[in-house]
């Protein structure tokens, strides 16, 4: 492989030819460590061979084994004496170097006006380097007066050189002297960069040409097709807030009633939801004591707004049963009580739709002062202890994302006896829970607690076929709308529990978790893991997880070479085995072609075309 460089121009000073040093190209070839060849072998075309040669030819080796051919034309006057040769050499050039002396302005203009247009027509995305050689004799700035001609014919300015480089799309260099720094590192670095680019381009074109011409011998290696695309599982949208909002309208598991002696309307609610949102209700229902809250404004709001009717109250939440009447709470503010149904709807919806709440209250209370008073009391109810009430501007607060208090605050009551009205007995241990959340989030439990079943009248309910850890993860999802299994095995156990209680979204979450875990495993880990993938497939089918079972079949087929070597592969049914063999990757045909190709390579003792 070779690189062809064409150098045009005279870098010598026209007024000091006698003391001119060696030329730019010859100096570079003699000093560059990447170019090999002594001084006597560089010059092949001597000036005595032809009367007036257009180009002087140099040959050397670059980068060890790359042939470097340089054609240098320092005499611009005879450039067009042999136009055929000049045109062919420029057309076949990999790199073009244009050089001039900064103190020879006449030669610069001759290049710019007469020969640059010719070079432009011959260029075909070839890199061009413009080298301005020498130190300007007059360092002062020339006069810009239109009538003054001083310094106009003495030296070439940097601006003129850069403008010429822009016209050609060239790289502009100023070489103040032909020493090791300017030749070896500055000019040589740029030239060697373009040499490497030319080599890369030639190599790429050579490979493309070889592929287009089909220039290979023997049997071509087989092409490995892409595996089939895995089925895509779509996650089910959350209906968490709608479940809790529906709890307010269905009036199931009501355990507290708000009323005012002068207001006919009675408002029913659930302690667990109210306490998850507000410390005022925590204080009211004895979930927390005043010393735990340590906020005088919350204590004052509780005392000013509510009072428990002790005549119908029962001792504590932990002693409640399904037959106990709800706790009756007196609302001391009649205006606040008349708007309480709208306030509770606002709280059960996520406590963020302030403009809608303000509009609903304004429909009931015509006085704007009363509306502002009720809104301020709602803000006090939602206040966080120890912090300044930041819910001052309803419109500003409306623009923010919804604050779903339930999915974070309800976790405070998970597996705790506070306000609990049902207890599950699992593996000899007990897990307290709250009927309102269970009924709102799980249709099976809603039917169990509200139907003619033993669980509807019992506080202690036994649970079979599920471990305590799995059931707690199940309750965590019901309370917070999220879960994080510890691994694939626990995710499958949770999926089985979700199928038992018909919670479809939790099933989808477990399916996505299992799929994500398996997809992230490298092949080496899949081969060495102890997890029985076929047993996982059978459990998914048995528990009606059709999406997961279909995906697992595709996963086994895609990793056929790994799972076919495992003992459990034989446990696949005839139908499953047929599916895996049909969709296996790599295919049986590819493996046969690969074996034939390897046999050919070894028999001929030749080198693989790919490697």
């Amino acid at each position: 492989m070779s690189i062809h460089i064409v150098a045009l121009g005279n870098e010598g000073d026209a007024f000091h030819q006698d003391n001119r040093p060696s030329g730019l190209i010859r100096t570079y070839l003699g000093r560059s460590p990447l170019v090999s060849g002594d001084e006597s072998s560089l010059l092949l075309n001597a000036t005595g061979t032809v009367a007036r040669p257009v180009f002087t030819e140099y040959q050397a080796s670059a980068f060890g084994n790359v042939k470097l051919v340089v054609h240098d034309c320092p005499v611009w006057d005879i450039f067009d004496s042999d136009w055929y040769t000049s045109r062919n050499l420029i057309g076949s050039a990999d790199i073009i170097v244009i050089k001039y002396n900064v103190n020879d302005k006449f030669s610069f203009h001759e290049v710019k006006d007469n020969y640059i247009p010719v070079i432009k027509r011959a260029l075909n995305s070839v890199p061009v380097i413009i080298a301005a050689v020498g130190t300007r004799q007059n360092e002062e700035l020339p006069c810009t007066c239109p009538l003054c001609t001083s310094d106009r014919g003495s030296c070439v300015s940097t601006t003129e050189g850069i403008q010429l480089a822009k016209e050609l799309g060239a790289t502009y260099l100023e070489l103040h002297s032909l020493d090791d720094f300017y030749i070896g590192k500055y000019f040589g670095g740029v030239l060697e960069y373009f040499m490497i680019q030319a080599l890369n381009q030639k190599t790429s074109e050579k490979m493309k040409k070889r592929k287009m011409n089909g220039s290979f011998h023997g049997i071509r290696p087989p092409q490995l097709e892409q595996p089939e695309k895995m089925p895509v599982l779509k996650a089910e949208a959350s209906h968490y807030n709608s479940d809790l909002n529906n709890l307010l309208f269905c009036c199931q598991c009501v355990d507290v009633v708000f009323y005012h002696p002068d207001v006919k309307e009675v408002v029913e609610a659930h302690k667990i939801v109210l306490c998850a949102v507000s410390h005022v209700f925590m204080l009211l229902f004895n979930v927390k004591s005043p010393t735990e809250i340590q906020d005088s404004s919350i204590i004052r709001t509780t005392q000013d707004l509510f009072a428990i009717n002790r005549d119908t109250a029962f001792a504590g939440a932990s002693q409640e049963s399904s037959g106990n009447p709800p706790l009756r709470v007196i609302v001391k503010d009649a205006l606040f009580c008349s708007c309480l149904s709208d306030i509770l709807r606002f709280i059960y919806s996520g406590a963020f739709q302030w403009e809608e709440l303000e509009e609903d209250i304004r429909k009931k209370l015509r006085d704007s002062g009363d509306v502002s008073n009720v809104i301020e009391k709602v803000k006090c109810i939602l206040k966080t202890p120890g912090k300044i009430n930041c819910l001052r501007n309803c419109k500003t607060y409306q623009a923010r994302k919804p604050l779903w208090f339930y999915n974070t605050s309800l976790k405070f009551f998970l597996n705790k006896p506070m306000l609990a009205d049902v207890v599950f007995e699992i593996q000899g241990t007990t897990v307290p829970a709250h009927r309102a959340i269970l009924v709102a989030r799980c249709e099976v439990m809603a039917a169990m607690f509200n139907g003619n079943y033993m669980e509807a009248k019992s506080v202690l309910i036994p649970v079979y076929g599920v471990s305590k850890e799995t059931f707690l993860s199940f309750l965590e999802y019901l309370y917070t709308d999220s879960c994080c299994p510890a691994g694939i095995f626990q995710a499958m156990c949770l999926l089985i529990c979700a199928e038992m209680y018909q919670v479809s979204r939790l099933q989808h979450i477990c399916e996505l978790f299992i799929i994500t875990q398996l997809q992230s495993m490298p092949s080496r880990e899949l081969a060495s893991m102890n997890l029985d993938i076929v047993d996982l497939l059978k459990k998914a089918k048995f528990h009606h997880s059709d999406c997961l079972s279909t995906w697992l079949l595709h996963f086994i087929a895609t990793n056929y070479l790994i799972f076919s070597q495992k003992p459990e592969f034989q446990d696949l049914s005839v139908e499953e085995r047929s599916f895996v063999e049909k969709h296996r990757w790599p295919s049986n045909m590819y493996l046969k072609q690969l074996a034939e190709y390897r046999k050919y390579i070894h028999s001929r003792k030749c080198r693989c075309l790919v490697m």
Side-chain angles (χ1 to χ4, degrees), residues 533-534 537 552-560 563 569 572 580:
I533 198 75
V534 177
L537 170 65
L552 287 173
L553 274 176
H554 279 274
F555 185 70
I556 294 173
T558 303
N559 298 274
Y560 182 87
F563 293 115
F569 186 78
L572 290 171
V580 171

Side-chain angles (χ1 to χ4, degrees), residues 29-43:
L29 295 176
R31 294 185 181 181
S32 175
L34 299 179
V35 178
S36 59
D38 53 31
E39 291 290 334
S40 60
S41 63
L42 289 176
L43 184 59

